Amino acid sequence: MADDYVRRTAITRLSVDGKQRELLEETISEWKRGCQLATDMAWGKCNAKSDVQPLAYDDVREQTGLGSQHAILATHQAAQAITGCLERRSNGKKISKPTFTAPTVKYDTRTMTLFDDDTVSLSTTESRVRCSLALPDADDGYQRQYLDSDEWSVTESTLTARDGNYFLHIGFRRPKTDTERNTAEDGTVLGVDLGIENLAVTSTASFVSGREVTHDLREFEKVRAGLQQTGTRSAHRTLERSSGRELRYIRDVLHQASNAIVDEALRYECDVIAFEDLTDIRDRTGASWGHKWAFRMLYEQVEYKAEAVGVSVKQVGSAYTSKRCAECGFTADENRPNRNDFCCQKCESEANADYNAAKNIGMRYVRRGQQSSRRTGNSQLALKSGTVTPSGGFTAHPDGFETEFTDKPHPQRAKSSD
């Protein structure tokens, strides 16, 4: 079973020549067509892999250039996408049929082979291509701990085209040890709250400012709206250039922010980074479509960077995390008089509202462990001053640890992660 394995992803750029580039582009294009075809056939009929594959396989093979194994994988991808839609609908969300536009293609051990000389063979619509992995010059790149180890085996991977380059997200897995089966999701938890004023705040009082991102997203949206209204061919080209600049800028900001969050988890020796469920984050925060996209990308960046260093990333329910007092548990709308401040009407505890939410998010994951038969219930929440358990047990950080021994954040001296 999947739960019996530890899974990691190693990302590396591929070195490709002109012909290889053409074949990979064609394969990505046909992959998207195959996934869409299978989805169109199965939508409203079935969503299990075992049902979608026999329904759509022959048509995918006949109407696309995909090989037999990639056709099977395309039907599985369609089944997964449809299942995701049905799960959202069960939560009361309006859904529409999935569409496949991302420049990606899935690979498994039948369509991809890794070699000891740091090359990879990939199936395409015509023939296999053998490309070099553009690994760091030094032998201590994080990818080496998986590529050079007999302990880790290759599993399903994803090829992604981005900015003219090709990146292979290589999946690895190894069996869990007996200890990991019992405690893989226990340990020290870092809570993270996402928002507008602060892009991210951790339960250890690390603040990543969101003001600059919010300002620039609004400016981008104004420019985009104006160009779309103009509707000329020149405006369309300008819009494409503007969107490209926006994408590069936001990616750079999110890259720095995700590094800061993972660094914070490592600094406090956390085993898990807990985010709130992102499904309704736009409604909860009043975020624009751009913010929602940025939150999702930030989460995904933290996820793969954290997993690369052995830290799990999870989501928990978001209900009342912004209105619940992290000190006494009292929950009321009046606790949060405005976007930035939190003042408990019961115990009179005061805090930055996002910081209070980050602690609630982290503690919700800790408490969930106490109710799970698969976990030991020995989790603890990482704070700026130490760690705390649901029962109130507190362990201060060792002397000499660079931290203030207080959990009351002060904006004028809040640590910046920019």
Side-chain angles (χ1 to χ4, degrees), residues 92-114:
K93 300 298 176 184
K94 293 182 179 180
I95 62 171
S96 57
K97 183 171 62 178
T99 57
F100 295 85
T101 58
T104 65
V105 57
K106 287 290 181 67
Y107 282 89
D108 63 3
T109 54
R110 295 186 179 183
T111 52
M112 181 187 83
T113 305
L114 282 174

Side-chain angles (χ1 to χ4, degrees), residues 382-410:
L383 301 175
K384 191 175 181 67
S385 54
T387 58
V388 64
T389 65
S391 61
F394 179 79
T395 303
H397 290 305
D399 292 341
F401 195 85
E402 295 180 7
T403 182
E404 296 177 75
F405 282 78
T406 176
D407 288 319
K408 304 298 182 187
H410 303 278

Side-chain angles (χ1 to χ4, degrees), residues 87-359:
E87 289 175 349
R88 290 194 296 274
R89 185 169 67 184
S90 67
N91 291 327
K93 300 298 176 184
K94 293 182 179 180
I95 62 171
S96 57
K97 183 171 62 178
T99 57
F100 295 85
T101 58
T104 65
V105 57
K106 287 290 181 67
Y107 282 89
D108 63 3
T109 54
R110 295 186 179 183
T111 52
M112 181 187 83
T113 305
L114 282 174
F115 295 96
D116 292 338
D117 62 353
D118 295 335
T119 62
V120 61
S121 173
L122 300 171
S123 294
T124 71
T125 52
E126 293 185 20
S127 60
R128 282 196 169 235
V129 296
R130 188 161 176 170
C131 312
S132 296
L133 304 178
L135 296 166
D137 292 335
D139 289 336
D140 58 354
Y142 82 93
Q143 298 95 335
R144 286 294 177 194
Q145 63 185 298
Y146 310 114
L147 290 168
D148 297 343
S149 173
D150 294 332
E151 186 180 26
W152 294 91
S153 59
V154 178
T155 184
E156 191 170 273
S157 305
T158 302
L159 178 71
T160 300
R162 187 173 72 239
D163 300 331
N165 291 309
Y166 294 89
F167 296 86
L168 191 59
H169 297 234
I170 309 171
F172 291 91
R173 73 179 189 180
R174 65 165 173 79
K176 288 181 179 177
T177 64
D178 291 339
T179 300
E180 287 172 328
R181 286 192 182 94
N182 296 327
T183 64
E185 296 182 348
D186 287 298
T188 304
V189 179
L190 181 74
V192 180
D193 178 68
L194 302 180
I196 307 300
E197 185 74 14
N198 296 297
L199 181 60
V201 179
T202 71
S203 59
T204 53
S206 175
F207 288 71
V208 180
S209 175
R211 293 180 181 178
E212 186 176 353
V213 173
T214 297
H215 174 269
D216 288 333
L217 276 174
R218 287 173 179 165
E219 291 302 311
F220 281 132
E221 288 173 15
K222 289 179 184 177
V223 172
R224 181 185 293 106
L227 292 171
Q228 287 176 335
Q229 189 172 13
T230 300
T232 63
R233 184 175 298 177
S234 174
H236 180 71
R237 288 196 297 267
T238 303
L239 177 59
E240 288 183 340
R241 290 195 298 271
S242 174
S243 297
R245 288 194 297 271
E246 172 186 358
L247 190 60
R248 287 191 294 272
Y249 165 75
I250 297 298
R251 276 179 176 156
D252 181 64
V253 171
L254 298 180
H255 170 69
Q256 296 179 47
S258 58
N259 282 343
I261 293 171
V262 175
D263 287 346
E264 193 76 357
L266 293 175
R267 179 177 182 237
Y268 286 86
E269 299 183 349
C270 296
D271 303 283
V272 177
I273 300 174
F275 287 81
E276 61 184 327
D277 187 338
L278 302 184
T279 305
D280 300 318
I281 195 166
R282 184 173 177 178
D283 296 333
R284 294 195 304 273
T285 63
S288 66
W289 67 267
H291 270 105
K292 183 178 180 181
W293 168 81
F295 292 149
R296 172 61 61 181
M297 180 171 283
L298 176 60
Y299 175 84
E300 291 175 350
Q301 287 192 8
V302 170
E303 187 175 36
Y304 80 74
K305 291 177 181 179
E307 287 183 350
V309 292
V311 178
S312 298
V313 179
K314 304 292 180 180
Q315 292 186 33
V316 298
S318 58
Y320 307 114
T321 54
S322 64
K323 300 174 182 178
R324 180 185 186 277
C325 177
E327 302 300 323
C328 73
F330 179 69
T331 303
D333 292 343
E334 294 77 16
N335 284 351
R336 190 167 183 174
N338 55 57
R339 173 175 286 179
N340 297 323
D341 300 320
F342 186 93
C343 181
C344 180
Q345 301 302 298
K346 183 177 181 180
C347 72
E348 299 184 348
S349 172
E350 296 182 2
N352 174 281
D354 296 333
Y355 175 56
N356 178 77
K359 291 198 287 185

